[in-house]
Amino acid sequence: MRYIVRRVAQSVFTVFAVVSLSFGIVRLLPGGPADYLRAQLLQQGGSLTQSQINQRIAAQTNVNVGEPLYVQYVDYMVNVLQGDFGRSIWYDDSVASILGKAIPWTVFIMACALLLAFVVGITLGAFMAYREGSSTDYVGTAVSLVTNSTPDFIVGLVALTFLGYRFGLFPTTGHYASEVTPGLNLPFVVSVVHHGTLPILAISLYSFGGWAMDMRANSIRVLGEDYLRVARLRGLPERRIALRYVARNAILPMYTGLLIAIGFVFGGAIIIERIFGYPGLGYYLIGAIDARDYPLMMGGFIVICVAVTIGVLIADLTYGIVDPRAGGGDRESY
Amino acid sequence: MSRTDDSPRTDGGTVSDFDAVANEQVGAADRRREWVEEHLLAPGRVLWSDWRARIAVTVLTGYLLMGTVAWVSAAEWGPTIVPRPSPNQGPALVGAFRTLEFPLGTTFSGHSILSQVVHATPAMLKMIGAGAVFTVVVGATLGTVAGYKGGRVDDVVMTLVDVALTIPGLPLIIVLAGALTDSLQGNPYVIGVLLSINAWAGLSRAVRSQVLTLRGAEYVEASRVMGLGTGTVLRRDVLPNLMPYVTMNFVKQARAVIYGSVGLYFLGVLPYNAVNWGVMMNNANSQAGAVSSPAAFHWLAVPMVTVILLSLSLTLLAQSGDRLFNPRVRARHVSHTSDAPAGVNVDRDGTDRTDDEPPGADPEPDPARREEP
């Protein structure tokens, strides 16, 4: 119980630190947004008074630079904690509503990619472990190493070039075709899956190798345990040994890794989303930087960080349930 | 070791062990030779015995060579081996492997792609080095101090680490790069550090837990009792045990810097003032539509392959790296213990360990350091 309270308090502190950090980036960083906008406005012409300049900066950064520093800070914190990230300059809409629309798409492709990579990875890893030293093992290891060393955006670009443009099998941008109506109808679902395939493929092709190598190492370790010899001596069917004895114990150490990966889902697809023009969180984050749209940029950053913090917190708190040996103790997952 | 007749121990030991004096002096030269043997030659042999490491070291040497060629070519004093890329070096969009003059083809504005790839290497290596060194130094220092000092220092550092671990790296880097566009100036060292801004956290956590167990070890306590200063104890007794973590994290972070920098240069988020593999990909895409036009695809593909090869060799190096710190494997390769009888056994799975079990945590003393009887 004490552990849970401590862990939750720590997460709250992390969120607090993230918001403070983003205030620091906007307001205090030399050459940061506030400084940049002031320099721009001063350059444009001398007709603006100091308070007019401050007003403009306030409109564009969500921070009223005319006030004393601590007032700015408190205002900023209060606004953000109420879910008010200001207005996007580029889209002329509230940042919260833009990001709210983007989140489901990011979650969709990342969840699919994560699931696909995990399932393929542990299956391959288990096979490699069972046939350790065979040609299956060598080919599997080589494939895992090569795909895991190819950044996802490179996979994405190659997929886009060939499957998207050259052969025209998949759409090259967007999240669903413009002619379908969003809702629970077949054309819409098909269109969403069709648009999501390449981004999902790119991310999972890059990440399954890591899971496979982890699973292989864990399974080899479990295969050497005494309780497996006992199970074999008892004459248990090989299938049952493979699933109940080996797979379970080999996957267990990867559970926190998986949950932390779920936590990082929100920030993981930034480059891919941009390449495929897929309007998720990362797409808007990069777009905001290109357009120097500071409220949207900082809003995206805070939303991603908070989501990750919650994901990691859940991972830590549930580990004790999944692995009773770690239960209740002051164990931390990373 | 030779024993002369006047050695007190040859006659059955009339002199107690405490009175025995070593009759052989280990000179500074011997010590130096031993140090080289133990710290350079033996690890080198261990690495070389593994096919993954052999590939990795060969490829990495190639990249270092490429960087050197670029450096020499760009310098005033050196011969120009590969000319600097410049517009209209050749016709526009020559394909790869078509002409000897432009082996990798040319860009839309007639730059030689080979020149671009080669001349982008030094900045890339600087970036990777800066990021990896920064991560390792900050991570190991904070972890060691937190673990060794404990108490309030530990609490503060660990809170910092927890926050840094939770903040996702890439968004933070992107936001910082976006906010700092005008002050970064494309300096490769600064960008390398920026790309590693919170990567030290994982290392310091691992180092701290390692230091916590080491702190209570008998030989560390002995050093403390002998009155050695904190710095000396840390340097002599603690740091050598942390080398596995430090080396692994160095390689990991080097790879992360490559990913981050190429990805963000490709998106145009990072500022630059020289040619770069990510910038090449960006230009190929934005100037010639390399994704949709087959005529320009080589412009995109060459930097891609360059990046993949470099990151693959780092992956292989990391994979084979933990053999380096497996004392049993290393003992076999230290020449002055190689004539030892079968006492040092080769364990089968020592050759193939890929799990992240900390090899340094092996409680067995390092046989390579054992003195000969």
Side-chain angles (χ1 to χ4, degrees), chain A residues 10 31 148-149 206 289 308 334, chain B residues 162 165 174 179 205 259 311 315:
Chain A
Q10 191 195 322
N148 202 223
S149 300
Y206 159 64
I289 287 172
V308 170
Y334 44 104
Chain B
D162 284 331
L165 264 179
I174 290 175
R205 187 176 264 278
Y259 280 35
S311 97
T315 310

Side-chain angles (χ1 to χ4, degrees), chain A residues 79-97:
Chain A
N79 281 340
V80 167
L81 293 178
Q82 287 174 343
D84 176 11
F85 300 108
R87 278 186 86 74
S88 158
I89 305 150
W90 185 254
Y91 295 96
D92 194 26
D93 194 358
S94 92
V95 169
S97 98

Side-chain angles (χ1 to χ4, degrees), chain A residues 287-322:
Chain A
I289 287 172
D290 285 347
R292 289 190 181 272
D293 187 348
Y294 295 116
L296 185 56
M297 172 173 118
M298 299 321 297
F301 174 64
I302 293 172
V303 166
I304 291 173
C305 287
V306 170
V308 170
T309 309
I310 295 172
V312 174
L313 175 67
I314 294 173
D316 269 354
L317 294 186
T318 52
Y319 190 75
I321 302 169
V322 179

Side-chain angles (χ1 to χ4, degrees), chain A residues 10 13 31-32 36 145 148-150 153 157 161 165-166 206 217 264 270 274 286 289 292 301 308-309 332 334, chain B residues 159 162 165-166 168 172 174-175 179 182 205 255 259 263 267 291-292 294 297 304 308 311-312 315-316 354:
Chain A
Q10 191 195 322
F13 177 76
Y36 168 79
L145 286 180
N148 202 223
S149 300
T150 311
F153 55 88
L157 280 174
T161 306
Y165 285 100
R166 218 56 79 79
Y206 159 64
F264 278 84
I270 294 176
R274 196 64 192 173
I286 302 274
I289 287 172
R292 289 190 181 272
F301 174 64
V308 170
T309 309
E332 282 162 78
Y334 44 104
Chain B
T159 309
D162 284 331
L165 264 179
T166 315
L172 176 64
I174 290 175
V175 165
D182 298 305
R205 187 176 264 278
R255 225 179 67 140
Y259 280 35
L267 291 181
V291 175
S292 50
F297 185 66
M304 276 183 185
I308 293 174
S311 97
L312 180 62
T315 310
L316 288 173
T354 43

Side-chain angles (χ1 to χ4, degrees), chain A residues 141 145 213, chain B residues 43-57 60 247-248 251 312-326 329 350-355 359:
Chain A
T141 305
L145 286 180
M213 296 311 288
Chain B
R45 274 195 292 269
V46 177
L47 266 187
W48 199 250
S49 67
D50 187 62
W51 63 271
R52 296 171 294 198
R54 245 184 339 248
I55 298 175
V57 170
L60 285 179
T247 316
M248 294 305 257
V251 176
L312 180 62
S313 61
L314 287 171
T315 310
L316 288 173
L317 196 64
Q319 283 278 322
S320 61
D322 61 3
R323 282 169 56 100
L324 200 56
F325 303 106
N326 185 333
V329 178
T351 54
D352 226 330
R353 280 211 330 204
T354 43
D355 52 342

Side-chain angles (χ1 to χ4, degrees), chain B residues 35-106:
Chain B
W35 189 90
V36 168
E37 172 69 37
E38 198 178 296
H39 290 91
L40 297 177
L41 297 182
R45 274 195 292 269
V46 177
L47 266 187
W48 199 250
S49 67
D50 187 62
W51 63 271
R52 296 171 294 198
R54 245 184 339 248
I55 298 175
V57 170
T58 314
V59 175
L60 285 179
T61 312
Y63 277 87
L64 286 180
L65 219 65
M66 193 152 88
T68 316
V69 165
W71 179 58
V72 171
S73 302
E76 299 267 323
W77 44 266
T80 307
I81 306 165
V82 176
R84 275 167 184 272
S86 59
N88 301 318
Q89 271 174 310
L93 288 178
V94 175
F97 311 119
R98 301 286 161 80
T99 60
L100 269 180
E101 201 186 352
F102 307 107
L104 298 178
T106 59

Side-chain angles (χ1 to χ4, degrees), chain A residues 56-123:
Chain A
R56 292 272 188 94
I57 299 177
Q60 296 204 5
T61 60
N62 205 16
V63 174
N64 188 355
V65 285
E67 307 271 354
L69 201 60
Y70 70 93
V71 177
Q72 295 173 29
Y73 178 64
V74 172
D75 276 357
Y76 187 82
M77 294 297 280
V78 169
N79 281 340
V80 167
L81 293 178
Q82 287 174 343
D84 176 11
F85 300 108
R87 278 186 86 74
S88 158
I89 305 150
W90 185 254
Y91 295 96
D92 194 26
D93 194 358
S94 92
V95 169
S97 98
I98 295 175
L99 295 176
K101 272 182 260 169
I103 286 176
W105 296 106
T106 297
V107 172
F108 167 64
I109 56 164
M110 285 303 291
C112 291
L114 187 62
L115 195 71
L116 190 67
F118 188 71
V119 170
V120 172
I122 59 168
T123 315

